[in-house]
Amino acid sequence: MSDEERPAKRQKVTGININNALDKEHEVKALSELGSLHVSALQGLAERADEILKEFKIKTIRDFANWKFANWAKAIVDLAETEEEGRRSDQCKMNINHAVDKEHHDKSLNEICALPVSALKGISENGAKLLEGLHVKTVRDFGGWKYVKWSKAILALSELEEGSKPSRGRKKK
């Protein structure tokens, strides 16, 4: 095989990419541009996800990252890992009663993780059925949903991108 017939070696390009989180057409965009894209710009979510999530007033990756129900579910799942089964003191005042329906007030975090998403105060049975169409059935599914994780990470890193407006916690040079 002559040099002309050999396929060109792919040149290694340095720097970050999040290609496995985005649809192909969005891979070259700045992080700061991604927050305003429809949720279906995330790789693995079809346009029908946009339609389903619109029912929850979620239109963009930014909306998705800031969705209170997803934040609650993530917090419940994250802290469930720290829970000691059956070790709650009778003096303990901790509760998440504003996040879950009344019939779940006496449950542990791990028990709540196993409940359907409709156990979260504000997610109706119909809302839970819509989320099931996106393979989210339980609070644990919701709290670990990779698309919400990706959305949160995109927003967090977009504030660190050169040329973006600094957030309150970061001073501009």
Side-chain angles (χ1 to χ4, degrees):
M1 186 183 288
S2 71
D3 287 341
E4 294 165 5
E5 294 173 326
R6 283 194 187 115
K9 286 186 179 179
R10 195 169 170 171
Q11 188 176 0
K12 185 177 178 186
V13 179
T14 59
I16 72 166
N17 75 73
I18 56 170
N19 295 349
N20 289 327
L22 298 171
D23 286 342
K24 194 77 169 159
E25 66 266 25
H26 304 297
E27 291 176 358
V28 297
K29 292 184 176 170
L31 288 166
S32 57
E33 296 176 72
L34 300 177
S36 61
L37 296 178
H38 288 284
V39 175
S40 62
L42 296 170
Q43 193 176 101
L45 285 181
E47 287 183 14
R48 75 180 181 87
D50 291 334
E51 295 307 313
I52 290 170
L53 292 169
K54 261 187 211 170
E55 296 296 320
F56 298 97
K57 298 186 178 17
I58 305 298
K59 295 178 184 169
T60 66
I61 289 174
R62 179 174 288 102
D63 296 338
F64 205 31
N66 293 318
W67 193 12
K68 73 177 180 182
F69 299 116
N71 290 334
W72 294 352
K74 180 176 178 359
I76 291 166
V77 169
D78 288 350
L79 288 177
E81 295 173 9
T82 70
E83 195 169 54
E84 291 183 297
E85 188 177 340
R87 302 278 304 184
R88 179 182 166 106
S89 165
D90 58 359
Q91 304 293 312
C92 187
K93 296 177 184 177
M94 259 180 239
N95 69 76
I96 56 168
N97 293 349
H98 290 298
V100 295
D101 291 333
K102 190 171 185 169
E103 63 266 25
H104 307 300
H105 286 186
D106 64 342
K107 292 188 169 55
S108 70
L109 292 172
N110 279 299
E111 290 171 322
I112 293 168
C113 285
L115 294 173
V117 292
S118 60
L120 295 174
K121 196 175 282 186
I123 303 261
S124 66
E125 291 293 331
N126 287 337
K129 284 181 182 149
L130 289 170
L131 287 171
E132 276 187 40
L134 296 173
H135 309 288
V136 174
K137 296 177 182 172
T138 66
V139 172
R140 186 175 312 285
D141 295 339
F142 201 12
W145 204 16
K146 69 182 177 184
Y147 303 111
V148 173
K149 285 182 184 183
W150 292 350
S151 297
K152 289 180 163 312
I154 287 167
L155 279 193
L157 292 181
S158 71
E159 293 182 4
L160 305 173
E161 187 169 59
E162 192 170 302
S164 70
K165 293 180 182 177
S167 67
R168 287 185 278 173
R170 187 173 62 106
K171 292 182 181 177
K172 196 169 182 173
K173 290 182 182 179

